[in-house]
Amino acid sequence: MSFNLRPHSIRARFTLVSGIISLIVFAVIGTGLDLAIWTRIQDNIFKETERVATDWIGSLQPGAPYPPVLKTRINLLQLVDGQGRVVAASTAAADQAPLSTLRPPNDDRIAHDTRCTTRDGCVVLTAIRVPPLETRVLWQGQPHFVYAGMTEPGMLSTHELELLTSGGVLAA
């Protein structure tokens, strides 16, 4: 007994071709939508981490830097010296190694990164080189870096966004 999957009528062939084309179009739209949402979420995190880090840099005084008091979802904040030692940190980042080894150069003081480990998951962070004036006044010119970050949101780390988008594409 042979089973033929190829439709014989023009109407059936047209329906099959239009279904395949629709699936391709919706898949492209879904991929674009997924990338746009993912980029927007990550950009918002980078903006917030940059704001928190620059606010803390602006409040640093000569002497021992005080740990920051955070009232945002950005809970990981560290001041790291040029040798990679954590000088001051928020409560959530106090007993950790530096959040990153990323060192922004003098001409571009701000860099963004996503650091992933198997133990802690992914951390979305911003690294900022303390400006030269503050570096001279506070630490006799020794470079310092501020890292501000947060654990990657569940929607991005668990691939929930991709699953929801795929489900929407298949439903459409």
Side-chain angles (χ1 to χ4, degrees), residues 6 14 24 116 128 156:
R6 187 174 174 191
F14 181 75
I24 292 169
C116 297
I128 298 180
L156 299 181

Side-chain angles (χ1 to χ4, degrees), residues 44-130:
N44 285 340
I45 293 170
F46 286 146
K47 285 178 188 173
E48 192 170 351
T49 56
E50 190 174 324
R51 183 189 56 77
V52 168
T54 54
D55 285 351
W56 191 35
I57 290 171
S59 69
L60 293 175
Q61 300 293 324
Y66 63 91
V69 178
L70 300 173
K71 296 179 181 165
T72 67
R73 64 184 179 156
I74 307 303
N75 60 343
L76 302 171
L77 195 59
Q78 292 179 334
L79 175 66
V80 178
D81 66 11
Q83 283 75 40
R85 295 181 301 238
V86 178
V87 177
S90 64
T91 306
D95 296 328
Q96 294 184 17
L99 293 175
S100 178
T101 57
L102 181 64
R103 302 280 197 252
N106 284 330
D107 59 340
D108 188 14
R109 296 183 324 106
I110 299 172
H112 304 291
D113 191 20
T114 301
R115 180 189 60 92
C116 297
T117 62
T118 55
R119 190 185 66 146
D120 299 329
C122 293
V123 173
V124 181
L125 62 93
T126 296
I128 298 180
R129 177 183 286 273
V130 177

Side-chain angles (χ1 to χ4, degrees), residues 9-24:
S9 72
I10 295 292
R11 183 179 294 163
R13 288 179 188 174
F14 181 75
T15 303
L16 180 64
V17 168
S18 65
I20 291 171
I21 290 172
S22 296
L23 182 62
I24 292 169

